[in-house]
Amino acid sequence: MKEILEIFGISGKREKLPGGQGQSLRVGDFVIKPIEEKNKYSWIGEVFMSVSSQNLAIAKPIRSKNGNFVENGYGVTHYIEGDFFISRIAEKVKACIELNQLLQTVAQPADWKHWSSPWQLANRVAWEEADLPGNTDIQSREIIESIKANYKPVYLTRQLIHSDLAGNILFNGSTPVIIDFSPEFRPEAFAEILLITDSIAWHQEPINSLWTTKHVDSLVSQLALRAIVFRLSVMIFLKPKNHAFLLKEFKNFQPLLNVLK
């Protein structure tokens, strides 16, 4: 670890941070964490080199002394003070919309289809671009198919979005702090609806918050169904034969799903 800190030119008191799968470490004014997908993380770093906002604080990757965003399997971002709130959904959605606007012209990288984390594979399942693993438990597969049976076509332009905002928007006073960028190329409205559906399932946000966006109800419903399939499919890609693992997450989304069907 000492060698990695030296390569990035950072020092200071070390403090383990919550979230980030328990692997993020604060070192002074920076956060260091292991990086599994070097190409993806380096691309994110390049994207945010040219992104700035007066209204959002964004934890951006930094380059090492060698000019790289990843060294020996680790990456570093700036540390920005902020607190997590399970409420403030209107402010979170507003921040999501602004972030979408900042990213709307970013082109999809050439190797995008080769990025294959469980989250990106699950997103492709949600958007009917890929199938579940062949060894998926039959009960889990039936749950996914029963939800997708309610799909109707969605025709919207795609752009770069943050696909995991619900737990990754903090607040420094009134300023939203965006951390742990998780890239996807989906409709900008999907980023908003995914944020809200996750907040309903995980953070006790009222279900009626789903109907407070500028989007028509029929579109909201379709995007919410895809958001739920995405989250459930993640569980399958992580543990395809463990129905109980998926069922635990399914119960979080079931009250919302009952309204959508």
Side-chain angles (χ1 to χ4, degrees), residues 60-165:
K60 303 178 181 181
I62 67 168
R63 292 187 188 274
S64 70
K65 294 177 181 178
N66 299 327
N68 302 318
F69 288 106
V70 180
E71 293 284 359
N72 298 327
Y74 284 87
V76 173
T77 64
H78 291 282
Y79 176 79
I80 305 174
E81 292 282 354
D83 297 309
F84 177 75
F85 293 84
I86 62 172
S87 55
R88 302 178 72 165
I89 192 66
E91 293 171 84
K92 292 177 183 179
V93 170
K94 183 179 179 181
C96 175
I97 292 171
E98 173 145 354
L99 183 61
N100 287 342
Q101 292 172 344
L102 293 172
L103 301 175
Q104 62 184 350
T105 61
V106 177
Q108 186 170 299
D111 62 346
W112 175 256
K113 292 183 179 180
H114 299 294
W115 297 1
S116 56
S117 72
W119 290 267
Q120 284 175 306
L121 293 173
N123 217 302
R124 290 168 192 161
V125 169
W127 286 88
E128 301 186 292
E129 298 168 353
D131 296 323
L132 293 169
N135 61 342
T136 299
D137 173 88
I138 188 168
Q139 292 175 290
S140 299
R141 186 180 294 276
E142 287 174 351
I143 286 177
I144 296 298
E145 294 305 320
S146 70
I147 300 172
K148 292 174 74 173
N150 295 282
Y151 275 16
K152 294 180 181 178
V154 171
Y155 303 107
L156 293 172
T157 302
R158 299 184 179 193
Q159 67 153 80
L160 179 62
I161 65 168
H162 191 325
S163 65
D164 195 23
L165 272 174

Side-chain angles (χ1 to χ4, degrees), residues 21 172 225 229:
Q21 299 179 333
N172 185 329
L225 289 171
V229 170

